[in-house]
Amino acid sequence: MQKKIDEIEKSIDDAVKDVQSSKTLQEIKMRFLGKTGEISSLMKNLRDVPPEERPSVGKLLNALRQWTEEKFAAIETRIKDFELKKKYADEKIDVTLPGRVAGDGAYHPNTLIRDELISVFAGMGFEVFEGPEIENDYYNFTALNTPADHPARDMQDTFYLAKDLLLRTQTSAGQIRVMENKKPPIKILSPGKVYRSDDDATHSPMFSQMEGLVVDKGITLCDLKGMLDEFARKIFGDGVKTRLRPSYFPFTEPSVEVDVSCFECGGKGCRLCKGTGWIEVLGAGMVNRRVLEGCGIDPDIYTGFAFGMGIERIAMLKFGINNMKLLFEGDVRFLKQFKG
Ligand code: DAH
């Protein structure tokens, strides 16, 4: 038995000689001390030893087990210590390395203009209302005094989703939703995406508009003009004037096209204003009485004005962007030039 014990002790010594990791050590430990390990098997065999020898053999085996356990414990402490030091060394941070620079984000030009417009109009008491992008025929056309056979429907090439469902072609649709739900005084601003089957350097199938609507007793075209003057000064700069030209929209009567004096040349005539000294920026007018009536507002008591502008168009004018595609391509080299 002593021979056998000596052999086991030697094979333990051999096995643990080069051990480096606690995982391998654990495997070796199981080989000797595990339930079916060599030492445990010897212990189990004790019952085959003649009874008179059992106490002395038992003693030897106990001593062997204790020796083995102590040996493994000592090695384990050494390895753990080594592993911890290695972990610290591996995780050491070189504080002299230069940091990674996180690039600044930038607001999209559309967002910048939309926010600027909202803040200018909020300063004049407008509240923001956002209507749905999927509309039905009634809100997008009929309620805006554009019935099915109206020639003005051809002004906007519409994307239809179903017989009565479409992608709104104008934020004007939101006017109806507001007037149906709120009695005057009304003073709302409605930004959002609109869709038209149109695609070239100055048109995109999806673009954004900003709608405005004011309804109250005694609102006149002069109020519209005064508000537009304020808008033009705030957005395009001091000294910029507005001019109204007669136009036509089914939902306004009279309707106007609004120009601002060229903020680039001060009105003398340049490339931006194509030599005219004026730049067209939006459509507007006095809300057609049929539209008010349709929303349950008495046009003999209340009047109102409305306006609608393309946000991309304002962004292109203000930032000197010559192709609308740039606003939709998401090219970071272009976008990062706009810091809010
Ligand atoms: N909805 C018109 C368009 O998309 C723009 C517009 C013109 C809106 C006159 C208005 C308005 O509210 O009064 O071309």
Side-chain angles (χ1 to χ4, degrees):
M1 181 49 76
Q2 185 60 50
K3 195 159 160 265
K4 177 89 190 144
I5 288 175
D6 290 346
E7 268 169 33
I8 291 184
E9 287 187 350
K10 183 161 182 325
S11 64
I12 290 177
D13 277 336
D14 285 348
V16 298
K17 204 162 60 190
D18 298 321
V19 74
Q20 301 270 12
S21 75
S22 24
K23 190 164 168 273
T24 342
L25 183 72
Q26 189 60 24
E27 280 162 18
I28 301 169
K29 191 169 164 185
M30 294 310 282
R31 226 168 78 202
F32 294 98
L33 292 171
K35 261 198 190 126
T36 54
E38 288 191 36
I39 297 177
S40 316
S41 308
L42 280 182
M43 297 262 190
K44 262 184 218 141
N45 292 342
L46 203 57
R47 58 180 115 88
D48 303 332
V49 173
E52 62 281 8
E53 288 177 29
R54 252 181 233 166
S56 61
V57 173
K59 228 183 198 171
L60 284 176
L61 288 180
N62 274 335
L64 170 66
R65 190 163 62 185
Q66 195 176 353
W67 176 87
T68 313
E69 277 169 357
E70 280 166 11
K71 181 146 196 112
F72 278 112
I75 298 173
E76 202 169 340
T77 317
R78 201 191 67 214
I79 289 181
K80 284 254 161 75
D81 192 46
F82 168 78
E83 283 177 341
L84 195 65
K85 284 206 178 102
K86 186 167 174 332
K87 189 164 177 252
Y88 287 154
D90 290 350
E91 289 177 4
K92 195 169 155 193
I93 295 167
D94 182 352
V95 290
T96 65
L97 280 176
R100 268 186 225 146
V101 181
D104 284 352
Y107 283 109
H108 192 280
N110 270 4
T111 309
L112 291 174
I113 296 296
R114 187 201 59 201
D115 290 354
E116 197 179 340
L117 288 168
I118 290 177
S119 101
V120 167
F121 284 103
M124 295 190 254
F126 283 75
E127 277 174 68
V128 173
F129 166 83
E130 284 182 86
E133 284 173 37
I134 294 176
E135 270 296 7
N136 59 33
D137 186 276
Y138 179 77
Y139 288 101
N140 196 77
F141 289 123
T142 309
L144 287 161
N145 194 32
T146 322
D149 55 355
H150 199 290
R153 286 210 180 192
D154 297 341
M155 287 160 82
Q156 302 171 2
D157 274 323
T158 311
F159 287 117
Y160 283 91
L161 303 174
K163 192 163 179 297
D164 189 37
L165 274 189
L166 46 86
L167 293 175
R168 67 176 172 196
T169 58
Q170 46 188 352
T171 43
S172 309
Q175 288 185 23
I176 306 301
R177 293 189 177 272
V178 170
M179 287 191 282
E180 274 182 351
N181 289 303
K182 194 175 178 319
K183 293 300 140 218
I186 291 171
K187 208 168 182 189
I188 57 107
L189 197 60
S190 192
K193 293 196 188 89
V194 296
Y195 302 82
R196 287 180 204 179
S197 180
D198 226 348
D199 203 4
D200 60 36
T202 49
H203 296 90
S204 150
M206 181 210 77
F207 62 105
S208 328
Q209 287 188 331
M210 179 72 79
E211 190 84 12
L213 173 72
V214 174
V215 183
D216 203 352
K217 287 180 184 154
I219 298 288
T220 69
L221 199 65
C222 288
D223 297 311
L224 171 65
K225 173 85 164 106
M227 186 221 64
L228 289 170
D229 284 342
E230 175 77 358
F231 147 80
R233 270 196 303 275
K234 290 254 171 68
I235 297 291
F236 296 107
D238 278 339
V240 171
K241 296 195 289 279
T242 63
R243 162 177 101 167
L244 308 184
R245 282 180 293 112
S247 183
Y248 174 76
F249 298 103
F251 36 89
T252 43
E253 182 57 37
S255 302
V256 293
E257 210 79 66
V258 180
D259 298 340
V260 294
S261 57
C262 183
F263 46 88
E264 195 77 16
C265 62
K268 286 196 282 293
C270 68
R271 249 179 56 177
L272 184 68
C273 59
K274 302 195 181 79
T276 65
W278 294 93
I279 300 170
E280 184 185 322
V281 287
L282 58 92
M286 297 305 292
V287 182
N288 193 309
R289 27 185 313 131
R290 299 180 66 164
V291 173
L292 292 173
E293 251 163 14
C295 297
I297 295 175
D298 187 344
D300 290 325
I301 301 174
Y302 295 104
T303 51
F305 65 73
F307 58 93
M309 65 188 95
I311 293 184
E312 285 80 2
R313 180 165 165 73
I314 309 275
M316 288 169 78
L317 286 170
K318 264 197 88 160
F319 297 125
I321 299 164
N322 59 8
N323 191 333
M324 198 188 249
K325 296 280 172 299
L326 286 166
L327 292 171
F328 299 110
E329 281 166 348
D331 187 330
V332 175
R333 291 167 304 177
F334 167 77
L335 294 174
K336 71 178 177 194
Q337 300 174 54
F338 302 89
K339 298 267 148 134

mmCIF file of all heavy atoms in Angstrom, residues 135-144 146 156 158 166-173:
data_model
loop_
_atom_site.group_PDB
_atom_site.id
_atom_site.type_symbol
_atom_site.label_atom_id
_atom_site.label_comp_id
_atom_site.label_asym_id
_atom_site.label_seq_id
_atom_site.Cartn_x
_atom_site.Cartn_y
_atom_site.Cartn_z
ATOM 1 N N GLU A 135 -54.095 60.701 -45.306
ATOM 2 C CA GLU A 135 -55.340 61.455 -45.208
ATOM 3 C C GLU A 135 -56.397 60.807 -46.087
ATOM 4 O O GLU A 135 -56.089 59.968 -46.928
ATOM 5 C CB GLU A 135 -55.112 62.897 -45.697
ATOM 6 C CG GLU A 135 -54.677 63.871 -44.617
ATOM 7 C CD GLU A 135 -55.735 64.079 -43.545
ATOM 8 O OE1 GLU A 135 -56.760 63.377 -43.552
ATOM 9 O OE2 GLU A 135 -55.521 64.943 -42.679
ATOM 10 N N ASN A 136 -57.644 61.239 -45.903
ATOM 11 C CA ASN A 136 -58.625 60.818 -46.903
ATOM 12 C C ASN A 136 -58.947 62.003 -47.800
ATOM 13 O O ASN A 136 -58.515 63.132 -47.548
ATOM 14 C CB ASN A 136 -59.865 60.198 -46.252
ATOM 15 C CG ASN A 136 -60.543 61.169 -45.323
ATOM 16 O OD1 ASN A 136 -60.525 62.379 -45.573
ATOM 17 N ND2 ASN A 136 -61.135 60.659 -44.267
ATOM 18 N N ASP A 137 -59.648 61.689 -48.846
ATOM 19 C CA ASP A 137 -59.951 62.684 -49.874
ATOM 20 C C ASP A 137 -60.616 63.926 -49.291
ATOM 21 O O ASP A 137 -60.314 65.052 -49.685
ATOM 22 C CB ASP A 137 -60.869 62.008 -50.904
ATOM 23 C CG ASP A 137 -61.129 62.897 -52.078
ATOM 24 O OD1 ASP A 137 -62.034 63.747 -51.995
ATOM 25 O OD2 ASP A 137 -60.405 62.754 -53.071
ATOM 26 N N TYR A 138 -61.469 63.719 -48.304
ATOM 27 C CA TYR A 138 -62.228 64.842 -47.748
ATOM 28 C C TYR A 138 -61.303 65.918 -47.167
ATOM 29 O O TYR A 138 -61.411 67.087 -47.503
ATOM 30 C CB TYR A 138 -63.199 64.325 -46.678
ATOM 31 C CG TYR A 138 -63.991 65.443 -46.041
ATOM 32 C CD1 TYR A 138 -65.062 66.032 -46.713
ATOM 33 C CD2 TYR A 138 -63.645 65.927 -44.764
ATOM 34 C CE1 TYR A 138 -65.776 67.080 -46.141
ATOM 35 C CE2 TYR A 138 -64.356 66.977 -44.190
ATOM 36 C CZ TYR A 138 -65.414 67.545 -44.884
ATOM 37 O OH TYR A 138 -66.097 68.592 -44.323
ATOM 38 N N TYR A 139 -60.371 65.521 -46.296
ATOM 39 C CA TYR A 139 -59.512 66.516 -45.633
ATOM 40 C C TYR A 139 -58.498 67.130 -46.589
ATOM 41 O O TYR A 139 -58.165 68.299 -46.490
ATOM 42 C CB TYR A 139 -58.783 65.891 -44.439
ATOM 43 C CG TYR A 139 -59.711 65.620 -43.290
ATOM 44 C CD1 TYR A 139 -60.201 64.347 -43.048
ATOM 45 C CD2 TYR A 139 -60.114 66.665 -42.459
ATOM 46 C CE1 TYR A 139 -61.072 64.099 -42.007
ATOM 47 C CE2 TYR A 139 -60.993 66.418 -41.406
ATOM 48 C CZ TYR A 139 -61.464 65.141 -41.187
ATOM 49 O OH TYR A 139 -62.326 64.914 -40.161
ATOM 50 N N ASN A 140 -57.989 66.288 -47.506
ATOM 51 C CA ASN A 140 -56.935 66.802 -48.386
ATOM 52 C C ASN A 140 -57.494 67.665 -49.520
ATOM 53 O O ASN A 140 -56.827 68.574 -49.986
ATOM 54 C CB ASN A 140 -56.137 65.636 -48.976
ATOM 55 C CG ASN A 140 -54.819 66.090 -49.580
ATOM 56 O OD1 ASN A 140 -53.852 66.358 -48.863
ATOM 57 N ND2 ASN A 140 -54.763 66.211 -50.895
ATOM 58 N N PHE A 141 -58.723 67.366 -49.943
ATOM 59 C CA PHE A 141 -59.274 68.098 -51.101
ATOM 60 C C PHE A 141 -60.673 68.679 -50.859
ATOM 61 O O PHE A 141 -60.850 69.897 -50.883
ATOM 62 C CB PHE A 141 -59.333 67.172 -52.328
ATOM 63 C CG PHE A 141 -57.979 66.843 -52.906
ATOM 64 C CD1 PHE A 141 -57.564 65.524 -53.041
ATOM 65 C CD2 PHE A 141 -57.117 67.844 -53.339
ATOM 66 C CE1 PHE A 141 -56.317 65.216 -53.592
ATOM 67 C CE2 PHE A 141 -55.881 67.542 -53.898
ATOM 68 C CZ PHE A 141 -55.485 66.225 -54.015
ATOM 69 N N THR A 142 -61.644 67.797 -50.675
ATOM 70 C CA THR A 142 -63.038 68.243 -50.697
ATOM 71 C C THR A 142 -63.323 69.359 -49.686
ATOM 72 O O THR A 142 -63.892 70.391 -50.032
ATOM 73 C CB THR A 142 -63.993 67.045 -50.462
ATOM 74 O OG1 THR A 142 -63.626 66.019 -51.374
ATOM 75 C CG2 THR A 142 -65.444 67.438 -50.697
ATOM 76 N N ALA A 143 -62.892 69.166 -48.455
ATOM 77 C CA ALA A 143 -63.167 70.178 -47.425
ATOM 78 C C ALA A 143 -62.384 71.455 -47.693
ATOM 79 O O ALA A 143 -62.713 72.524 -47.157
ATOM 80 C CB ALA A 143 -62.816 69.626 -46.051
ATOM 81 N N LEU A 144 -61.353 71.347 -48.523
ATOM 82 C CA LEU A 144 -60.580 72.542 -48.889
ATOM 83 C C LEU A 144 -61.128 73.127 -50.196
ATOM 84 O O LEU A 144 -60.393 73.705 -50.999
ATOM 85 C CB LEU A 144 -59.094 72.190 -49.018
ATOM 86 C CG LEU A 144 -58.396 71.936 -47.673
ATOM 87 C CD1 LEU A 144 -57.089 71.163 -47.872
ATOM 88 C CD2 LEU A 144 -58.110 73.237 -46.930
ATOM 89 N N THR A 146 -62.134 71.750 -52.869
ATOM 90 C CA THR A 146 -61.598 71.162 -54.103
ATOM 91 C C THR A 146 -62.338 69.853 -54.377
ATOM 92 O O THR A 146 -61.786 68.766 -54.164
ATOM 93 C CB THR A 146 -60.080 70.891 -53.957
ATOM 94 O OG1 THR A 146 -59.483 71.954 -53.227
ATOM 95 C CG2 THR A 146 -59.398 70.782 -55.315
ATOM 96 N N GLN A 156 -51.724 69.157 -58.149
ATOM 97 C CA GLN A 156 -50.931 68.300 -57.266
ATOM 98 C C GLN A 156 -51.118 66.837 -57.653
ATOM 99 O O GLN A 156 -52.201 66.300 -57.546
ATOM 100 C CB GLN A 156 -51.377 68.517 -55.809
ATOM 101 C CG GLN A 156 -51.251 69.960 -55.376
ATOM 102 C CD GLN A 156 -51.890 70.211 -54.015
ATOM 103 O OE1 GLN A 156 -52.400 69.302 -53.380
ATOM 104 N NE2 GLN A 156 -51.835 71.453 -53.580
ATOM 105 N N THR A 158 -51.200 63.259 -57.028
ATOM 106 C CA THR A 158 -51.412 62.599 -55.735
ATOM 107 C C THR A 158 -51.041 61.124 -55.736
ATOM 108 O O THR A 158 -51.291 60.416 -56.710
ATOM 109 C CB THR A 158 -52.904 62.739 -55.372
ATOM 110 O OG1 THR A 158 -53.259 64.104 -55.551
ATOM 111 C CG2 THR A 158 -53.181 62.307 -53.954
ATOM 112 N N LEU A 166 -55.034 58.580 -49.184
ATOM 113 C CA LEU A 166 -53.921 59.112 -49.962
ATOM 114 C C LEU A 166 -52.839 59.646 -49.022
ATOM 115 O O LEU A 166 -53.066 59.825 -47.824
ATOM 116 C CB LEU A 166 -54.434 60.229 -50.881
ATOM 117 C CG LEU A 166 -55.366 61.290 -50.272
ATOM 118 C CD1 LEU A 166 -54.580 62.409 -49.631
ATOM 119 C CD2 LEU A 166 -56.268 61.864 -51.356
ATOM 120 N N LEU A 167 -51.648 59.872 -49.585
ATOM 121 C CA LEU A 167 -50.608 60.562 -48.821
ATOM 122 C C LEU A 167 -50.915 62.036 -49.005
ATOM 123 O O LEU A 167 -51.060 62.499 -50.143
ATOM 124 C CB LEU A 167 -49.227 60.215 -49.377
ATOM 125 C CG LEU A 167 -48.791 58.765 -49.182
ATOM 126 C CD1 LEU A 167 -47.453 58.511 -49.879
ATOM 127 C CD2 LEU A 167 -48.663 58.450 -47.699
ATOM 128 N N ARG A 168 -51.041 62.776 -47.918
ATOM 129 C CA ARG A 168 -51.477 64.167 -48.055
ATOM 130 C C ARG A 168 -50.535 64.932 -48.997
ATOM 131 O O ARG A 168 -49.311 64.719 -48.967
ATOM 132 C CB ARG A 168 -51.559 64.866 -46.695
ATOM 133 C CG ARG A 168 -50.215 65.054 -46.037
ATOM 134 C CD ARG A 168 -50.347 65.839 -44.741
ATOM 135 N NE ARG A 168 -49.065 65.843 -44.049
ATOM 136 C CZ ARG A 168 -48.897 66.157 -42.775
ATOM 137 N NH1 ARG A 168 -49.930 66.495 -42.042
ATOM 138 N NH2 ARG A 168 -47.697 66.149 -42.233
ATOM 139 N N THR A 169 -51.120 65.767 -49.830
ATOM 140 C CA THR A 169 -50.315 66.534 -50.779
ATOM 141 C C THR A 169 -50.000 67.903 -50.212
ATOM 142 O O THR A 169 -49.198 68.646 -50.754
ATOM 143 C CB THR A 169 -51.075 66.729 -52.106
ATOM 144 O OG1 THR A 169 -52.310 67.403 -51.822
ATOM 145 C CG2 THR A 169 -51.361 65.396 -52.768
ATOM 146 N N GLN A 170 -50.665 68.262 -49.110
ATOM 147 C CA GLN A 170 -50.472 69.595 -48.528
ATOM 148 C C GLN A 170 -50.841 69.573 -47.047
ATOM 149 O O GLN A 170 -51.757 68.862 -46.632
ATOM 150 C CB GLN A 170 -51.344 70.616 -49.258
ATOM 151 C CG GLN A 170 -52.784 70.150 -49.473
ATOM 152 C CD GLN A 170 -53.590 71.080 -50.370
ATOM 153 O OE1 GLN A 170 -53.133 72.150 -50.721
ATOM 154 N NE2 GLN A 170 -54.801 70.669 -50.720
ATOM 155 N N THR A 171 -50.105 70.344 -46.250
ATOM 156 C CA THR A 171 -50.431 70.410 -44.823
ATOM 157 C C THR A 171 -51.735 71.170 -44.596
ATOM 158 O O THR A 171 -52.259 71.174 -43.482
ATOM 159 C CB THR A 171 -49.292 71.077 -44.023
ATOM 160 O OG1 THR A 171 -48.825 72.214 -44.742
ATOM 161 C CG2 THR A 171 -48.142 70.115 -43.784
ATOM 162 N N SER A 172 -52.269 71.776 -45.657
ATOM 163 C CA SER A 172 -53.555 72.478 -45.539
ATOM 164 C C SER A 172 -54.637 71.543 -44.989
ATOM 165 O O SER A 172 -55.595 71.998 -44.355
ATOM 166 C CB SER A 172 -54.005 73.013 -46.900
ATOM 167 O OG SER A 172 -52.969 73.745 -47.511
ATOM 168 N N ALA A 173 -54.478 70.223 -45.234
ATOM 169 C CA ALA A 173 -55.442 69.248 -44.722
ATOM 170 C C ALA A 173 -55.626 69.412 -43.212
ATOM 171 O O ALA A 173 -56.740 69.258 -42.683
ATOM 172 C CB ALA A 173 -54.969 67.838 -45.047
#
